Amino acid sequence: MEKEKEFYARIEAKGVSRRDFMKFCTFLTATMGLSAAYVSKVAQVFAAPSQRPPVIWLHFAECTGCSEATLRAMFPWIDELLLEVLSMEYHETIMAAAGRQAEEQLHAAVEKYKGKFICVCEGAVATKYDGGYGKIGGRTFLEIAKEVCPQAAAVVCIGQCSAFGGIQAAAPNLGGWKGVGEVLGIKTINIAGCPPNPINFVGTIVNYLLFGKLPAVDDLGRPLFAYGKTVHDQCPRRSHFENEEFVEEFGSPEAAMGYCLYKVGCRGPETYNNCPIAKFNDGTSWPVEAGHPCLGCSEPQFWDKMTPFYEPL
Amino acid sequence: MGKRITIDPITRIEGHLRIEVEVEGGKVVNAWSSGTLFRGIEVILQGRDPRDAHHFVQRSCGVCTYVHALASVRAVDDAVGIKMPVNARLIRNLLHGAQYQHDHIVHFYHLHALDWVDIVSALKADPAKTAALADNTSNAPWGGRQYFKNVQVRLQTFVDSGQLGPFANAYWGHSAYKLPPEANLMAAAHYIEALRIQAKAARLHAIFGGKNPHPQSLVVGGVTSVADLVPDRIAEFLYITKETHDFVKNVYIPDLLAVASFYKEWGGIGGCTNFLTYGDFPASEQEPESFYMPRGVIRKRDLANIEMADQQKVTEDVTRAWYLKSAPKHPFEGETRPIPENPKFSPEKGKYSWAKAPRYDGLPCEVGPLARVLVAYGKGHADIKPLVDGALKQLDIPASALFSTLGRTAARGLETVAIGEVMQGWVTELVENLKSGDTKTYQPYEMPQTAQGVGLNDVPRGALGHWIRIENGKIGNYQYVVPSTWNLGPRDGGGNLSPVEEALIGTPVADPQKPLEVLRTVHSFDPCLACAIHVIDPHSNEVYKIRVV
């Protein structure tokens, strides 16, 4: 309780009112599909973790867009996520240590938190040529994944690449790139998207902190709270689809009126994600609101299966 | 033979980079830069719909998000022959400017600062003295003894938890750290504030692009965000860009100059010889004449004779990169192929990187903020010149000190000021244009069966070029030559070092076990390796079929 009070004093000092904070927790609780009774418990997760759960974040073949997406988390702010909620033991994009010292840190963290850390994977793993197309410190991604992932309490794949192979796995897939779960033959939690909304990552972590287990998932390993419905079913433009009011050319009067983007290639009907509800960057917008069709980026192999993007389904 | 030091992974960058240096007598005498990941996006583009290319290439990098998508639609616009609507040009410029604002703040505070700022030393600072220092140096909206005390308590609590997270096992206490504890505490506080500012600044992309990273409103022919051309949306954009700009002017630049004043010797370390910028931010259809940041090439640091850059003089050399043998070619004629095997790192005489070696008229060229600022400075740019002169005067260093690690880091901050300022004018221009009744955002077109196009831009990390050849209405050939390939590639067939390899030579190294100084110069280039490495089109796909697939 004391810690909780301190926490509120601190966020208030930063200009975040307790009311704003609870608003966020309510939003997150709803995104996670929990009842309102959980709001105060979700708040406690951020207020008073007994020990910050260790996270080891591995970068394989990726563009760092998923790390960048996570940096955009605003409730809790990314600095709180880093300093007060989680213990980010290894993350190449932000860690101060480099080279030998970075490798030492990875080994020390795996050793210290064996069986207890959350392993977040960003990026695909190469399987051809002994995994030779991707290396860190002279070791292949394949070796690193095989060594680190099995020692984690849970493996969370953030983004299309670690979940399903991503862009490098698109035809002709020169390096034999695959998602982490497929390469290691393990079940992973897949926070799908290119990149995913950070709220879905945070929601998954909070679920873990709150219940001590990862959220329920679909048959592709995607948390149901975020990936349980299609974009189409949640789209604010759905009524235009029903009324057969379509955009047939960008820049047209129909585009300005916000008609349905189905005929210019929208993949919403075949894509499971919560973009229309959660929206991106603190609820600022999402692609369809910006007038662009959905690409289907939370579906496996969307680079091959959803293209050409501008042809209707 | 000196002592060989390998730093792999280089952290606080995008992508996977290995730097090897040889140290003799406390200085770097030789250096090798190696990219250790190959994804092959250009090969993936073969035979696909040209309209889709920008979505693929945008995934080259999520840190320099948007910029590849822009270069790509420009290349296809060029091939198709689009006359860009005014609103689309302005929105594309605004999204591009927003990327500069966001990216440069993140680089300075989160990717580069810890090379100069000792976080552990901040714990020893006197909060009252820190408040006084902050009062004297910056116009930050936060400050005062209590503010800095709170930051210090927060850091102390973090350290006392025993879970040091991203700050674990670094070079804290290294003799090359020169800031007093108070300056370290001030910088640490702003490191945390900047984490929040960047999250807010990213909303700029979401306003006209749907989301960030990887905004999704560009299309060949224009932009799709028509419904966002409304007063409240535009005002929101203006408000956030101004708020970000205030941070740049009042916090970033004062911090940059305050830190630089303790490291003036770095104005003599880490310089390069030749510079290239394509320029960017068109004010009209006149390109490159109307660019806000001008195009140009500087040879041998000669600012008095800046040449116009010509993309036809760009070639890529793969002698020392992990690709099958080929003569240096212009991107339109490229035919390189990755070696179909587990690559061996052979820096002495063999191949040692997945990055290729781009050359301009045969010369290695530094690209990025320093190249842009030097070209603008040399041409007497009305906004850039006074900014540079002001910084030189405040630091009391000569213009020759710009050719350095310090100059590179300073140029990045200074151009962010100029771009943040001019962006506000573009917002006004957009409003005026809409008011005049022009709501056009998109130019319809027919995809030609055969065509070729070039999309050049200058992005936060430097000169970026995309080249597309359309055959049978599909992508016949697609190539891009990106900033980090220019800056962080390997040697070429003639043995010429890449800019980072050249810059590292002469860098002092006090403790070979902790090569902090090497990181300073490497990070000053803001390396971004995911986009640096790719493969040029093999004209005969057969080779792939036999060797790879």
Side-chain angles (χ1 to χ4, degrees):
Chain A
M1 231 15 236
E2 267 315 296
K3 273 200 160 176
E4 210 177 318
K5 270 187 198 159
E6 273 174 33
F7 174 77
Y8 289 124
R10 200 179 67 234
I11 60 169
E12 275 165 25
K14 289 173 178 304
V16 177
S17 70
R18 185 177 170 136
R19 188 187 149 84
D20 284 343
F21 178 70
M22 293 313 287
K23 213 167 91 184
F24 158 70
C25 291
T26 308
F27 176 58
L28 184 62
T29 308
T31 305
M32 289 167 64
L34 301 175
S35 82
Y38 279 100
V39 173
S40 65
K41 290 190 175 166
V42 169
Q44 278 168 23
V45 165
F46 293 110
S50 49
Q51 189 207 24
R52 286 177 288 128
V55 173
I56 292 176
W57 188 303
L58 300 176
H59 283 90
F60 299 132
E62 37 73 28
C63 74
T64 314
C66 298
S67 286
E68 284 280 343
T70 308
L71 284 180
R72 310 293 185 263
M74 293 176 91
F75 289 98
W77 284 99
I78 179 63
D79 59 285
E80 291 174 333
L81 216 47
L82 290 176
L83 293 176
E84 278 102 18
V85 179
L86 301 173
S87 184
M88 196 63 81
E89 296 290 324
Y90 187 86
H91 188 302
E92 287 168 15
T93 320
I94 55 169
M95 66 193 297
R100 185 171 60 78
Q101 281 82 357
E103 292 204 296
E104 282 172 8
Q105 172 62 14
L106 176 60
H107 295 304
V110 170
E111 200 54 41
K112 183 173 173 191
Y113 297 110
K114 198 174 279 188
K116 293 183 187 137
F117 66 92
I118 301 171
C119 183
V120 178
C121 293
E122 179 176 356
V125 174
T127 57
K128 267 190 189 169
Y129 316 122
D130 304 318
Y133 277 13
K135 294 182 189 177
I136 301 165
R139 294 197 306 156
T140 63
F141 298 162
L142 190 60
E143 290 171 73
I144 297 168
K146 278 183 179 167
E147 181 198 312
V148 178
C149 296
Q151 307 201 53
V155 178
V156 176
C157 288
I158 188 163
Q160 168 75 208
C161 297
S162 57
F164 309 122
I167 187 164
Q168 46 278 318
N173 192 355
L174 295 178
W177 298 101
K178 288 179 181 168
V180 172
E182 191 188 347
V183 166
L184 300 180
I186 58 169
K187 278 201 188 310
T188 56
I189 295 286
N190 295 327
I191 314 296
C194 190
N197 194 322
I199 192 96
N200 296 338
F201 173 71
V202 174
T204 301
I205 297 295
V206 170
N207 194 102
Y208 181 77
L209 302 182
L210 198 55
F211 299 117
K213 61 175 187 183
L214 291 156
V217 295
D218 67 8
D219 56 355
L220 293 167
R222 301 177 297 191
L224 286 168
F225 73 80
Y227 304 92
K229 294 179 191 161
T230 64
V231 168
H232 191 56
D233 282 346
Q234 304 167 87
C235 184
R237 299 189 179 196
R238 179 62 186 261
S239 61
H240 292 300
F241 175 83
E242 303 299 343
N243 294 336
E244 299 187 14
E245 294 165 342
F246 296 107
V247 174
E248 302 205 23
E249 186 174 87
F250 296 119
S252 63
E254 291 76 18
M257 287 188 284
Y259 281 6
C260 175
L261 296 165
Y262 183 80
K263 290 194 175 176
V264 282
C266 189
R267 299 300 187 246
E270 293 189 350
T271 304
Y272 288 83
N273 210 337
N274 58 355
C275 310
I277 306 298
K279 301 213 266 183
F280 292 85
N281 304 92
D282 195 26
T284 303
S285 191
W286 68 292
V288 168
E289 189 171 337
H292 195 287
C294 163
L295 301 180
C297 73
S298 52
E299 296 302 313
Q301 281 77 50
F302 82 101
W303 294 109
D304 286 335
K305 292 186 176 162
M306 298 291 190
T307 48
F309 290 125
Y310 298 99
E311 296 300 327
L313 275 172
Chain B
M1 178 95 179
K3 187 178 169 56
R4 190 66 79 87
I5 306 171
T6 302
I7 314 179
D8 181 7
I10 294 280
T11 51
R12 281 179 284 127
I13 63 164
E14 197 296 322
H16 302 287
L17 175 66
R18 172 192 185 100
I19 293 284
E20 232 172 79
V21 293
E22 202 172 287
V23 176
E24 219 171 73
K27 280 193 170 162
V28 173
V29 292
N30 213 342
W32 295 267
S33 170
S34 166
T36 61
L37 162 67
F38 169 77
R39 296 192 294 166
I41 293 174
E42 283 135 326
V43 180
I44 293 166
L45 285 169
Q46 302 293 317
R48 295 185 189 255
D49 190 324
R51 296 173 297 170
D52 288 355
H54 69 103
H55 294 298
F56 283 81
V57 296
Q58 178 157 232
R59 271 65 185 186
S60 301
C61 186
V63 178
C64 11
T65 188
Y66 179 73
V67 302
H68 287 287
L70 178 61
S72 179
V73 292
R74 280 181 178 171
V76 186
D77 288 340
D78 181 43
V80 172
I82 300 288
K83 185 178 179 313
M84 192 53 51
V86 173
N87 296 323
R89 169 174 58 76
L90 287 166
I91 287 176
R92 287 179 175 192
N93 276 354
L94 286 168
L95 290 169
H96 199 183
Q99 178 62 15
Y100 272 81
Q101 288 191 302
H102 180 275
D103 208 9
H104 284 355
I105 290 173
V106 170
H107 179 262
F108 180 73
Y109 285 99
H110 308 122
L111 305 183
H112 201 17
L114 301 182
D115 300 336
W116 313 98
V117 174
D118 184 338
I119 295 277
V120 172
S121 147
L123 298 174
K124 291 184 295 208
D126 175 341
K129 283 188 193 158
T130 310
L133 171 73
D135 267 354
N136 285 332
T137 50
S138 85
N139 294 313
W142 328 277
R145 193 191 69 90
Q146 193 56 42
Y147 168 81
F148 287 109
K149 188 156 189 292
N150 286 349
V151 172
Q152 201 176 36
V153 166
R154 197 175 175 204
L155 290 174
Q156 189 68 54
T157 308
F158 180 80
V159 170
D160 290 346
S161 75
Q163 292 180 298
L164 292 179
F167 302 128
N169 210 26
Y171 302 145
W172 313 129
H174 194 291
S175 64
Y177 281 120
K178 302 287 187 204
L179 298 184
E182 285 72 26
N184 283 317
L185 179 57
M186 181 175 81
H190 296 165
Y191 173 103
I192 294 170
E193 300 292 353
L195 276 172
R196 298 187 172 201
I197 291 289
Q198 64 81 28
K200 284 191 205 173
R203 292 185 59 222
L204 292 167
H205 270 181
I207 290 169
F208 292 133
K211 65 190 173 92
N212 167 285
H214 299 337
Q216 196 168 315
S217 65
L218 289 184
V219 280
V220 172
V223 297
T224 63
S225 42
V226 280
D228 298 305
L229 297 182
V230 290
D232 61 329
R233 247 352 195 190
I234 296 173
E236 195 181 6
F237 189 97
L238 182 62
Y239 173 76
I240 299 172
T241 196
K242 282 177 86 154
E243 190 184 2
T244 313
H245 187 53
D246 284 346
F247 178 84
V248 171
K249 276 191 309 186
N250 295 328
V251 188
Y252 176 6
I253 297 299
D255 282 352
L256 172 72
L257 295 175
V259 172
S261 68
F262 288 93
Y263 292 103
K264 286 189 199 177
E265 74 275 19
W266 285 84
I269 300 167
C272 292
T273 308
N274 309 304
F275 301 85
L276 166 71
T277 170
Y278 296 141
D280 214 316
F281 303 116
S284 75
E285 285 169 49
Q286 297 301 313
E287 297 186 13
E289 295 77 9
S290 76
F291 284 169
Y292 179 68
M293 294 300 284
R295 182 174 290 178
V297 175
I298 297 168
R299 295 180 198 245
K300 296 186 178 160
R301 301 188 178 185
D302 181 2
L303 295 182
N305 294 292
I306 296 174
E307 294 169 32
M308 180 47 73
D310 176 5
Q311 59 89 13
Q312 296 199 8
K313 293 185 179 170
V314 173
T315 53
E316 285 197 298
D317 183 305
V318 296
T319 314
R320 310 295 297 274
W322 287 314
Y323 300 92
L324 299 177
K325 200 176 171 187
S326 161
K329 293 271 169 77
H330 180 269
F332 269 142
E333 273 80 48
E335 53 178 21
T336 319
R337 303 169 293 272
I339 56 167
E341 62 190 70
N342 189 346
K344 282 189 193 59
F345 181 76
S346 314
E348 304 308 336
K349 285 184 176 153
K351 294 173 180 289
Y352 63 94
S353 179
W354 281 118
K356 290 185 282 191
R359 295 295 181 257
Y360 181 85
D361 204 10
L363 298 172
C365 288
E366 174 175 349
V367 300
L370 183 57
R372 277 191 295 271
V373 165
L374 286 173
V375 166
Y377 186 72
K379 286 172 174 265
H381 192 285
D383 298 336
I384 296 288
K385 189 157 191 316
L387 280 168
V388 173
D389 285 333
L392 292 174
K393 193 175 167 207
Q394 194 175 329
L395 290 172
D396 191 23
I397 53 174
S400 59
L402 290 169
F403 298 93
S404 67
T405 295
L406 186 148
R408 195 171 293 122
T409 298
R412 187 172 288 110
L414 296 174
E415 72 170 4
T416 318
V417 178
I419 292 166
E421 203 73 48
V422 77
M423 280 175 76
Q424 296 172 34
W426 298 334
V427 175
T428 313
E429 212 182 310
L430 178 65
V431 170
E432 290 302 319
N433 193 56
L434 291 167
K435 263 164 70 182
S436 78
D438 176 8
T439 55
K440 190 171 173 173
T441 50
Y442 176 77
Q443 173 65 48
Y445 60 91
E446 287 279 327
M447 184 59 69
Q449 283 299 297
T450 308
Q452 64 178 38
V454 183
L456 299 180
N457 55 0
D458 233 78
V459 308
R461 288 167 183 77
L464 172 64
H466 283 225
W467 286 262
I468 188 169
R469 197 173 271 170
I470 298 169
E471 289 163 14
N472 300 319
K474 305 276 186 223
I475 298 174
N477 188 8
Y478 196 105
Q479 300 132 38
Y480 44 129
V481 182
V482 315
S484 290
T485 322
W486 282 102
N487 286 336
L488 295 122
R491 287 154 170 74
D492 59 33
N496 297 303
L497 275 58
S498 69
V500 75
E501 292 173 335
E502 179 193 359
L504 281 169
I505 291 176
T507 299
V509 177
D511 177 0
Q513 295 296 320
K514 297 177 175 175
L516 173 64
E517 304 90 334
V518 172
L519 285 184
R520 287 178 177 167
T521 293
V522 172
H523 281 147
S524 72
F525 285 94
D526 195 1
C528 199
L529 268 288
C531 36
I533 294 160
H534 46 266
V535 59
I536 290 183
D537 164 41
H539 259 294
S540 57
N541 273 336
E542 252 180 83
V543 178
Y544 280 103
K545 283 175 193 145
I546 296 162
R547 291 175 182 268
V548 183
V549 177

